[in-house]
Amino acid sequence: MADPATPGAQLPPAMVVVDGDAAARHVTEQALARRFGPDYLIRGAASAPEALDLLADLVDRGQDVALVAADLHLPGGGVELLERTHALCPGAGRVLLFAMDRFHTRIPFTELATLQRAVALGRIDLSVAKGWVDPEEWLYPQVQEWLSGWVKAHRPHFVIYRVVGERWSPRTHHLLDLLTRNGVPFDFHPSSSPEGRRLIDAHRLDLGRLPAAVHQSGTVLADPGPAELASSHGMRTTPSAESYDLAVLGAGPAGLAAAVHGASEGLRTVVIEPQAIGGQAGTSSLIRNYLGFPRGIGGGPLAHRAWEQAILFGAELVFSQPAANVSALGDHRVVTLADGGTLRARAVIVATGVTYRRLAVPALERLVGAGVYYGAAGVAPPAVAEEQVYVVGGANSAGQAALHLARYAARVTLLVRGRSLTASMSEYLVTHIAATANIDVRLGTRVTGGSGRGRLESLTLEDTGTGHSATVPAAALFVLIGAEPHTGWLAGAVGLDERGYVLTGAEVPAPAWPLSRAPLPFETSLPGVLAAGDVRHGSVKRVAGAVGEGSVAVGSVHQYLAELAGEAVEA
């Protein structure tokens, strides 16, 4: 490892351990050095003032800090120190160290409240027990998980595409969003940047067809759509078989859960997804209340784990045109795609989800993708660093977006039409938002206008109580105001409610049901076609709920297929 004091040396990122117990600090430092010493500078400090001086010195040297670990009982408070280090090193992981109880189980009960509050308020990123015998069990897994994400965000990394385009172009935003949501590694270079100009010259890019994606092989995709990107990336864009046991429409949480359970239980399963793995949930920066992830997990990583799981069980994922119709043909159900192609399956699960409702403000519609975004827009936060950003919405997705953006923007303002956040947002998010210094909440407020030359520059906000309007500077607006299904293509094929949600099970009107038996759970008015997740009437609009519905719907598929097999035997 290079000596950080040597002029011109490449400085390794640092990890700092702060603990007043010299013996415990030495053990933690040595354990980190054994595993991470070749690539990281491991330093220790005995107190908060010493740690702050050390961190300031590292920053002055231009050295990145990847992680700061502080003991819970440090004089002045370990949590408080981690908050102060965050101001010095915003990208560093904040690790709270605590001693195990005398039974060597977990954190002592008397200290649990401190840890719970630190987690709820987003004051730490992870907690690690001390007093372990083997760091392989308690220390290394958590530290390595954090470092993997840190390296991806702060160090050169493997990329498949180098994208060149205008930063505030809607088409550029669409392409970057597509790559981000599908988990494809890429770098973006504005066309006016030195690297952007170099790529334009080296690959003779057509300036009239930007954005362009330069594949690592040297192939250039000019302003590509989802199907072209999928083909370039080696993804299937047409079904491999003429017929399947189960066709799942949509690769959001419900669709992926259905694919995992269908494929794992022996059904030949195909998933049709026109845009991106994860659906609306895939844009969530952090889902904190999903079972099994105590520190939370991003919607994208969660969706890609589920996708990998489905593929390993044998499901087939096809990036293609959206579905345009579903109909019956004997014992099969036929899905017609927008390009006219078809596929057949003995059963179909509709899991196409919902999309965020539009604001219906013409001035803002012209700026969609150029400062105005529907959804969390994972590619936008770095572009709005130190800017004034607004989020519209009062549910969990809006709260998650506001907290994520607050890590980059100078100030985030959450605009809520209602008079309270607690009516529609989980308590842990309300608490975290209230404790985040650069997030403001404006209740009883709606957006009525906006303006900008080429990109958003200002918004017009109205107080719904007084009717008073004001214009405020704004670099970006993220809209997450409820959702609506796009199920017009299903009208006439299955029963829908007045808002377009799919009716299933006991909700199917008796006159619309053609069989003597009752509809199965999640079955629509067309036998053998089921619906799960947000697209279904009565769904709870939570990721865990969608996953549950997708899983349980496969049970109804088995019942339906067994019924078909029984009829075939009788015939």
Side-chain angles (χ1 to χ4, degrees), residues 431-450:
T431 303
H432 194 170
I433 287 169
T436 304
N438 65 330
I439 296 182
D440 294 327
V441 178
R442 291 184 56 167
L443 302 174
T445 304
R446 68 188 186 101
V447 181
T448 59

Side-chain angles (χ1 to χ4, degrees), residues 259-260 263 267-271 307 309-317:
V260 167
L267 299 179
R268 185 167 192 177
T269 303
V270 62
V271 183
W307 166 75
Q309 194 174 9
I311 295 300
L312 290 175
F313 275 125
E316 180 178 306
L317 179 65

